[in-house]
Amino acid sequence: MGGPVAAEQIVEVLAEQAGGRQVEYRKGSGLLVSGALVLTAAHNVSGRDARLTVRSAGIEYSAAVVAAGGESADTDIAVLEIDDPAFRRVAPPIEFFAIDRLYLRKIVNCKAVGFPLFGEKRIDGTDRIRRDSVQVYGSVNSGSGLKSRLLTLLVDDHQPEAGEDRSSSWRGMSGAAVIVEDPTWGEGVIGLVVEHPLRYGPTALTVVPITNLERALGRAAVRVWSLLGVTDASRFPRVPSEARLPVQRRSVDVDLEPPLADFTGHGADLHQLVDAVLGGLALGGRPVVVVSGMAGVGKTTLATQVAHQLADRFHHARLVVRLNGQEADEATVSRQQQRLLRALGVSDDQVREVAGRPDDQQDLYLSKLDAGPSLVIVDDPAGEDDVARFMPRRPGSVVVVTSRTVLPDIDGAVQVRLKPFSDGESLIFLAGILGRERVSAEPEAARRILASAGGLPLAIRLIGAFAASAAGEGMPLEEIASMMAEEGTRLDRLSRKGRSVRATIFVSYRHLTPPTAVFFRRICLLGVPDFSRVLAASATGSSTVETIAALSELTDAHLVEHVRGDRYRVHDLVRLFGDEVARAEEAPETVLLVRERWRRFYLEAAECWDDELTAEGERPSPAALAWFDVEEANVVATLVAASAAQDWEVVYGLAVRLRPPLAYRGRFREYAEIASAGIEAAERGRFADRALGMLVHLAEARRYSDRTDGVDELYERAEALATAAGDVDKQTWIGVHRGIFAMEQGQLGVTMGHYDRVDESYRERSDDGARVWLSGHYIDAHLTLGQPAPAVERGELALDLSLRLDDPDSVAWAHKHLARALQAAGRYPEAIDHMTRSMERAEQTGDVGARVDCLRRLGWIARDAGDLEAAEDYLEQALQGAEAADIQFLIEELGVDLRDLRAHPPRR
C-alpha cells in the first residue's frame, strides 16, 4: 500500500529563458521521487541548453534532464535529476497507479499540488513576488480520453482570473503530480498535469497518465523505470479498486495458456494493445488488433497476457485458434470451428448436423459468440482470409491476431508491431529466469549472452532454461557467453525440448515466394550490420524493381527490418539462419560470388570517394564524411571479412581510404589496427612496395595515440623500401617524420640531424618549395629548444624563398611559421601581421581548416601580448568556424582555450 506524499516532495521547476539582460524563467511544477529524481512536464524543460533549477523548500538546486518526451500532451513527461552537491535529501519511492478503464467509474479523492500563476503573492513591504504552492481537489472519469490516451482532472473550485491579458491563471501548474487516495491501495500518482484552461470558470486540467511514460520516453523508459524502482509498469495497481466487479460466471477458455509469472518487457506494446481494445469497446465497436513481429519476439505471449489482464471484461469466452502459419483450407476451418463449438456447449449431434454445411456452421459459431463478450485470439494465420472466419460479429467482443506478417488488409485493425527487447528489458528478463544474484555476479558475461540473443525473448528464454538446468546450473555465465559467441553453433544451442529459434524462423521462410527466398538467402551472406537497396541489388544480382519487391515482402514478413530511408537490417539470428540455408541450397560458387560482389561493392564505393576522403592536409568533404558516418561499420566489417577470405586487394584498398576520416576525427587507435591489416595485405598480396605509406601512417597513428613502441622500427622499414625503390622524395618524407618523432621523444639533436639531411637533399635538387615546407619543422625544433632568434632567422629565409618562387601557398606557409617565431620572440605586432597574411590566403582558397588554425594562433598571439579582448574575439571566431565545418577535435580544443583564457586572463 502506498504511503502519503510528503509536502517537501512538491517542487517548482524553473528553466532559464534566453534573451534580455534580466534573467527570466519558464515556471512549472514537479514532484520529487525516488532519491533526487523529479517528475515534471516535458514542455517545462524544453529548449536547447536551457539551465534548469529545482526549487525545493525555498532553496534552489541545479538539475539536468535524464529523459524527456515530446511536447504533445500524451507524451509530455520528463524526468530530471537534481545534480547539485548541496542537495542532500533523498526522497522515498513513490507508488504509481494505473486507471482501470474496463468500467466507467468516477475516481474521487484526487488532488494535485503545484505552483500556478494565481498563487503569486507580493512579499510584505517589498516589490518582490513569490509564487506559493496551491493544493486542489477533484475527480477523474475513467471513460474520458480513451482515444487521446489522456485523463481529465475535474477541479472542484473555480479559480480567479489572471489579469487583463485573459491568459490562464493556471500557468505554472504543468508538471504537478495528480495523486489518488484509494481505499485499497493507499496513495499513489496517476499522472501529471500538462494542459490547463485559458479562461476563468469551471476548471478541467488535462493529465498525462504515468502509464504513458514508455510511450513518451521510448527505449529510455526502461532505464527511467529502473531508477524509479519500478520492475514492471504493466502490474501497477489499478484504481479505483472497487471498479473490479465480480465475474458473473467463469468464461469458456479454449487453448488459452496460463499467464506467465515472469512476464516482463514490451510494456509500451502492452499498453498500446490494451488501449486499442478498451478504446474500441468504449466506442461501441468490435476492435481488431494485429500484433505482428519476427519469429520468437513474443506475440502470442503478449496476446495471452492481455487476455488474462482483461479477463473481467470478456466473461463469456476467451478462445485461441492456432493455425501455425498454415493457410487454412475449408476442412481446417471446419475442424477448428467444430472444436470451438463443442467448447461453447454445442452437443455432438448439433455439430454433426451442421458439419457438412459451412454457412450454417459459421452462423452457429457466430451465434454462440453473440451470447456474451468474447475475446478471440487468432494465432499465426497465413493471411487475412484465415482471420475473417473466426471473427465475432457482436459489439463488445474483440479479435487479437498474432502474425508473422503485417496483414494490412484487415479493415479497421490497429497494428501493433513488436520489436525485440531493449538491453534493459533483456537484462530484467534474464535476471527473472536465473535470479538477480547470478546475473549481478557476472554482469559483463550476462551482457555478452544477451548480445548473442539480440533481444529475442524466445532466445533469451532458451538460454536461461539451459543455464538453469542441471547441465548449466553450475556453469559460469562467462563459459555460457563463450559458447553462445560461436556463430557456427549458436542456433544449435538455441533449441530445447521441442522449442527452437531455427524452427520458428523456418516457418516464416517457407512462406516466401521463390524469388524472395533466393534474395533472402543471398542477403544473409552479407556480414554487415545493415545494408542499402543498392548493395542488396548488387550482391544478389537483382534489378532495382526485383530488389524493392523482395525487400517489401521480407519487411512484411519481419525477416528484414526497415531502419530508415533505403537502409535495412537483418536480425543476427535470422542472418545465421539464412546463411545456413544459403550454404545448403545455393551452389558453392554462388555463395563465393555473392560475398565477392559485397566486398567489391565497398571497395568501389570507397574508391568513388577517394579524392574527397584522402586529400592530404585537408578536411574530407562534408558529403564524403556523411557517407563515412553511414557506412563506417559496414566498411570495417567488409575489411575484416576480406582479410578472412584473403582478399588482400580489398583489405589494402579499404585500409588506405579509412585513414583520412578516422584521422580527421582523431581516432588514431582504431586506425592503427586498420593500418596493420593494410600492411599485412600489402605484404601477403605480393605488392609490398605499397606498404611504404601505410607503415608511415601506422607510425603516425601510434604516435598520436601515445603508443610509441615500435615506431622507430616502422620508420626504418619504410625507409628501407624507399631506398630499395630509389625514391628520394619518399626518403625525405620519411626523414621529416623521423625528425618529428625524435622531437616528441625529447631527442632534439637527432631531430636536427634528420632535418639537415633532408635539407641537403632538397638543396642538391634545387627544390626551394620543399625547403620552405621544411622550414616550418625547423622552426618547431628551435622553439622547442627555446631558441626564438634562429627560429625567426629560419622563418625570414623561408619567406624570402617563397616570394622568389611566387607561389601563394608557399608564401602563406612561410608567413604562418614566421609569425610563430616572432610570437616566441615577443614581437607581437609583427607576428599578428604575418599570421593575418597567412589567413588571407586561406580565405581566398576557401580552406576552412587553415583559416580556423590561423584565427586560433592569432588568439594565442593576442593572449601573450596581454590583449584579452582581442584574444577572446579571435578564439570565438575560430570556434564558430570549427563548428560550421564540424571539426570536432578543434571544437573541443578551442573550448578549452576559451575556458582557460577566461579563468586565467593574462596581465597587461
Side-chain angles (χ1 to χ4, degrees):
M1 178 177 289
V5 175
E8 64 180 8
Q9 292 175 257
I10 308 302
V11 299
E12 195 171 1
V13 176
L14 311 174
E16 185 176 328
Q17 303 295 290
R21 293 175 177 269
Q22 185 174 354
V23 176
E24 296 183 357
Y25 293 95
R26 182 194 298 123
K27 298 180 180 180
S29 304
L31 181 69
L32 188 62
V33 294
S34 188
L37 299 179
V38 174
L39 277 174
T40 188
H43 75 262
N44 286 341
V45 298
S46 63
R48 185 184 174 193
D49 301 327
R51 190 171 71 87
L52 302 179
T53 302
V54 170
R55 185 181 289 156
S56 175
I59 302 174
E60 294 184 359
Y61 302 98
S62 63
V65 175
V66 174
E71 291 191 35
S72 63
D74 64 333
T75 60
D76 196 1
I77 301 176
V79 180
L80 314 182
E81 182 174 22
I82 300 176
D83 56 7
D84 196 319
F87 183 79
R88 300 187 183 280
R89 287 187 291 110
V90 177
I94 293 289
E95 290 289 338
F96 298 105
F97 297 159
I99 297 296
D100 193 328
R101 299 211 189 214
L102 291 175
Y103 303 97
L104 305 182
R105 292 288 184 271
K106 183 176 183 178
I107 305 165
V108 295
N109 296 327
C110 298
K111 60 187 175 185
V113 188
F115 295 85
L117 181 62
F118 65 80
E120 283 191 351
K121 298 176 181 177
R122 191 177 302 279
I123 299 175
D124 292 341
T126 71
D127 292 331
R128 294 171 56 202
I129 293 175
R130 178 180 62 196
R131 188 174 293 192
D132 211 342
S133 61
V134 173
Q135 180 169 327
V136 297
Y137 288 90
S139 60
V140 171
N141 292 329
S142 64
S144 298
L146 291 174
K147 293 187 71 175
S148 64
R149 301 185 180 89
L150 295 168
L151 303 170
T152 301
L153 175 63
L154 302 172
V155 179
D156 295 340
D157 304 320
H158 289 52
Q159 297 302 336
E161 298 181 48
E164 295 180 359
D165 64 354
R166 303 290 288 167
S167 60
S168 173
S169 62
W170 290 94
R171 279 184 299 163
M173 194 69 176
S174 292
V178 178
I179 301 161
V180 171
E181 298 177 43
D182 185 85
T184 301
W185 306 121
E187 196 166 275
V189 173
I190 60 170
L192 303 172
V193 175
V194 291
E195 291 179 351
H196 38 73
L198 295 178
R199 302 291 184 183
Y200 164 78
T203 297
L205 301 178
T206 300
V207 177
V208 57
I210 194 65
T211 50
N212 280 22
L213 186 139
E214 294 181 19
R215 176 180 175 83
L217 305 186
R219 292 187 179 272
V222 176
R223 174 171 173 261
V224 169
W225 281 137
S226 177
L227 292 172
L228 294 174
V230 174
T231 56
D232 188 352
S234 68
R235 298 184 181 181
F236 284 159
R238 292 183 174 267
V239 293
S241 54
E242 65 270 17
R244 295 200 157 274
L245 302 178
V247 179
Q248 297 299 316
R249 65 180 183 83
R250 188 175 181 276
S251 66
V252 175
D253 293 345
V254 179
D255 283 356
L256 183 66
E257 297 286 342
L260 289 177
D262 62 350
F263 177 83
T264 189
H266 290 319
D269 303 303
L270 178 66
H271 289 306
Q272 183 184 356
L273 206 166
V274 170
D275 286 349
V277 169
L278 297 180
L281 293 176
L283 295 173
R286 181 212 58 193
V288 180
V289 184
V290 177
V291 182
S292 63
M294 67 178 291
V297 80
K299 304 178 291 293
T300 305
T301 300
L302 182 67
T304 301
Q305 203 70 18
V306 169
H308 287 288
Q309 186 167 322
L310 302 181
D312 291 355
R313 186 65 182 82
F314 303 106
H315 53 74
H316 174 58
R318 296 178 297 173
L319 314 177
V320 179
V321 181
R322 302 193 189 280
L323 298 176
N324 300 318
Q326 302 281 3
E327 187 169 348
D329 56 19
E330 188 57 45
T332 302
V333 171
S334 180
R335 285 194 301 272
Q336 290 278 8
Q337 285 187 342
Q338 290 168 20
R339 182 176 61 88
L340 297 177
L341 285 170
R342 290 187 178 94
L344 290 166
V346 178
S347 68
D348 287 344
D349 289 341
Q350 285 180 286
V351 171
R352 281 193 293 270
E353 183 180 341
V354 297
R357 305 195 301 272
D359 291 342
D360 292 342
Q361 181 174 295
Q362 180 79 7
D363 287 342
L364 180 59
Y365 166 73
L366 293 176
S367 68
K368 286 299 178 181
L369 290 186
D370 286 346
S374 304
L375 182 147
V376 179
I377 298 174
V378 182
D379 186 46
D380 204 10
E384 288 89 343
D385 292 342
D386 297 341
V387 177
R389 299 294 298 274
F390 298 96
M391 292 175 67
R393 62 192 175 195
R394 178 189 187 277
S397 292
V398 169
V399 179
V400 178
V401 183
T402 65
S403 173
R404 296 161 190 266
T405 57
V406 178
L407 302 182
D409 295 325
I410 298 179
D411 293 340
V414 175
Q415 300 285 343
V416 178
R417 298 194 183 198
L418 292 196
K419 293 184 179 294
F421 282 164
S422 66
D423 292 345
E425 289 173 321
S426 298
L427 194 60
I428 292 170
F429 189 36
L430 184 65
I433 299 170
L434 299 183
R436 291 180 179 273
E437 296 78 8
R438 188 173 178 188
V439 171
S440 299
E442 296 183 76
E444 186 55 39
R447 278 190 284 272
R448 288 176 55 211
I449 288 172
L450 294 171
S452 68
L456 196 66
L458 175 60
I460 300 171
R461 175 76 70 185
L462 292 171
I463 295 170
F466 168 75
S469 69
E473 188 176 17
M475 192 178 290
L477 294 187
E478 178 62 36
E479 187 174 344
I480 296 174
S482 298
M483 290 165 48
M484 295 306 304
E486 295 292 333
E487 288 195 346
T489 58
R490 188 178 301 169
L491 291 178
D492 293 331
R493 299 186 186 283
L494 293 175
S495 178
R496 183 176 176 82
K497 294 185 177 179
R499 292 192 297 176
S500 162
V501 169
R502 180 187 282 114
T504 194
I505 296 173
F506 177 73
V507 174
S508 297
Y509 169 72
R510 75 184 179 192
H511 285 98
L512 297 176
T513 59
T516 301
V518 172
F519 182 92
F520 168 74
R521 295 194 296 267
R522 293 180 180 179
I523 61 169
C524 288
L525 294 169
L526 311 182
V528 290
D530 64 6
F531 59 89
S532 64
R533 281 197 297 263
V534 179
L535 169 59
S538 175
T540 61
S542 306
S543 69
T544 301
V545 172
E546 292 168 337
T547 299
I548 292 173
L551 287 172
S552 177
E553 183 179 347
L554 290 170
T555 303
D556 282 348
H558 292 283
L559 287 170
V560 166
E561 178 188 357
H562 179 223
V563 182
R564 64 188 178 280
D566 76 334
R567 310 293 299 189
Y568 297 82
R569 177 188 299 126
V570 179
H571 189 281
D572 275 352
L573 296 178
V574 176
R575 177 182 57 81
L576 293 177
F577 169 84
D579 183 86
E580 278 185 359
V581 177
R583 286 185 283 110
E585 299 186 16
E586 299 280 356
E589 55 269 23
T590 301
V591 172
L592 293 174
L593 177 61
V594 170
R595 287 175 170 161
E596 183 180 2
R597 284 173 178 164
W598 152 38
R599 298 193 299 269
R600 296 289 155 172
F601 174 87
Y602 276 109
L603 179 61
E604 291 170 10
E607 286 173 346
C608 287
W609 290 106
D610 190 39
D611 290 341
E612 297 188 66
L613 280 173
T614 60
E616 283 290 337
E618 296 181 10
R619 174 180 182 263
S621 74
L625 285 173
W627 175 84
F628 172 75
D629 288 340
V630 171
E631 295 285 10
E632 177 193 355
N634 289 344
V635 174
V636 173
T638 304
L639 185 148
V640 171
S643 180
Q646 299 187 10
D647 190 343
W648 305 121
E649 182 181 353
V650 172
V651 174
Y652 178 82
L654 293 179
V656 168
R657 289 162 182 87
L658 280 170
R659 176 185 170 273
L662 288 173
Y664 174 74
R665 295 274 165 79
R667 293 163 55 186
F668 294 105
R669 284 185 181 271
E670 293 162 77
Y671 181 69
E673 296 179 10
I674 289 170
S676 297
I679 292 166
E680 180 189 18
E683 292 173 343
R684 296 185 64 175
R686 299 184 180 178
F687 38 90
D689 54 310
R690 299 191 205 173
L692 191 154
M694 197 75 72
L695 286 163
V696 174
H697 292 319
L698 175 57
E700 178 186 58
R702 286 189 177 176
R703 282 171 39 215
Y704 289 151
S705 56
D706 299 322
R707 295 170 57 193
T708 57
D709 54 301
V711 169
D712 262 330
E713 180 187 348
L714 292 170
Y715 283 134
E716 287 171 1
R717 288 169 62 188
E719 202 165 50
L721 288 173
T723 301
D727 191 331
V728 178
D729 286 334
K730 286 290 193 298
Q731 288 176 322
T732 53
W733 177 58
I734 296 165
V736 172
H737 274 273
R738 298 194 72 177
I740 295 170
F741 177 62
M743 184 170 61
E744 291 169 351
Q745 301 300 300
Q747 301 170 348
L748 293 170
V750 176
T751 294
M752 288 302 190
H754 283 301
Y755 290 169
D756 287 344
R757 284 190 291 276
V758 172
D759 190 44
E760 182 180 352
S761 175
Y762 289 153
R763 284 174 183 273
E764 290 174 356
R765 290 180 287 152
S766 300
D767 191 345
D768 288 342
R771 293 187 66 207
V772 172
W773 171 74
L774 182 62
S775 67
H777 297 290
Y778 265 119
I779 289 170
D780 280 339
H782 284 304
L783 295 181
T784 302
L785 287 166
Q787 299 173 342
V792 171
E793 183 180 342
R794 178 67 68 170
E796 289 171 340
L797 173 63
L799 182 60
D800 182 59
L801 279 173
S802 66
L803 289 170
R804 282 194 273 120
L805 287 170
D806 194 25
D807 176 9
D809 291 330
S810 293
V811 172
W813 175 270
H815 275 304
K816 176 185 285 189
H817 291 283
L818 176 56
R820 294 176 55 231
L822 291 166
Q823 176 187 359
R827 294 159 60 177
Y828 302 121
E830 295 170 80
I832 287 176
D833 178 60
H834 284 285
M835 191 63 72
T836 301
R837 294 188 185 194
S838 181
M839 185 174 68
E840 288 170 354
R841 177 60 182 169
E843 290 171 341
Q844 289 171 3
T845 59
D847 189 337
V848 178
R851 179 178 178 274
V852 169
D853 183 58
C854 288
L855 282 167
R856 186 185 189 192
R857 293 182 183 280
L858 282 166
W860 293 345
I861 297 168
R863 176 200 62 198
D864 290 355
D867 190 345
L868 175 61
E869 186 175 346
E872 188 169 13
D873 182 59
Y874 283 132
L875 292 174
E876 285 280 8
Q877 289 185 62
L879 180 58
Q880 291 170 10
E883 288 175 337
D886 190 30
I887 309 176
Q888 289 299 322
F889 76 94
L890 273 179
I891 293 171
E892 294 172 9
E893 291 179 4
L894 283 161
V896 173
D897 288 348
L898 281 163
R899 285 194 295 273
D900 288 348
L901 180 70
R902 291 160 182 162
H904 308 289
R907 296 180 180 178
R908 291 184 179 274

